[in-house]
Amino acid sequence: MFLLATINYVDRVVLSVSSAPIASEFGITKVELGYLFSSFLWLYVVCLVPMGMIVDKFGTRTVNTVGIGLWSIATALTGLASGFGMLIATRVLMGVGESTTYPASGRVIREWIPLKERALFAAVFNGGAYFGPAVGGLVLAWLVSAAGWRTTFLFCAAIGFFWLLAWLIW
């Protein structure tokens, strides 16, 4: 779950470290960048409570599978975007996918972790939310400068799909 939270937050910061070349390529203004940065949250916030209900109905394995699959697809599509509208759409889709992480992980903590280990597990899981941007900001900034913003988004998507494969196997 630490890795899930890490990937979740790495995928959030890739836009910020890529914003200059994206804005340059598509002629995006500072105001439009503000819309782009916030677009992730438009449905993320709205979907949190319904995702909790969906986790209760379908379980953590299914919801985490669909969630990381959806947000990894959205991250890949961001790297393939052809304009500002597509960038907004992929970020909104990513917000829907990432809204699964905290409700599903809360249920993992309740159902899979022994009572005496829950606080430690919750702290480790939540640590991924801080580790992701810390390491992502460094590594992704270098990758954007070395390989370009599109490759960086595809790289992040690949990490998500790799985690998904491991989740499905183990």
Side-chain angles (χ1 to χ4, degrees), residues 58-142:
F58 295 105
T60 56
R61 290 181 194 270
T62 301
V63 174
N64 270 335
T65 297
V66 171
I68 196 163
L70 183 61
W71 99 55
S72 295
I73 289 168
T75 300
L77 289 174
T78 304
L80 302 173
S82 58
F84 180 69
M86 187 171 176
L87 288 169
I88 291 282
T90 61
R91 297 303 287 183
V92 169
L93 183 63
M94 185 179 146
V96 173
E98 288 198 1
S99 70
T100 62
T101 300
Y102 275 87
S105 296
R107 187 154 178 170
V108 164
I109 292 168
R110 189 185 81 218
E111 292 183 349
W112 299 5
I113 307 303
L115 184 61
K116 291 186 177 196
E117 297 173 18
R118 288 182 187 168
L120 174 61
F121 186 89
V124 170
F125 160 70
N126 200 46
Y130 301 101
F131 183 71
V135 73
L138 297 172
V139 173
L140 298 178
W142 170 83

Side-chain angles (χ1 to χ4, degrees), residues 1-7 121 123-132 163:
M1 300 313 300
F2 172 83
L3 290 176
L4 179 66
T6 298
I7 295 166
F121 186 89
V124 170
F125 160 70
N126 200 46
Y130 301 101
F131 183 71
W163 186 94

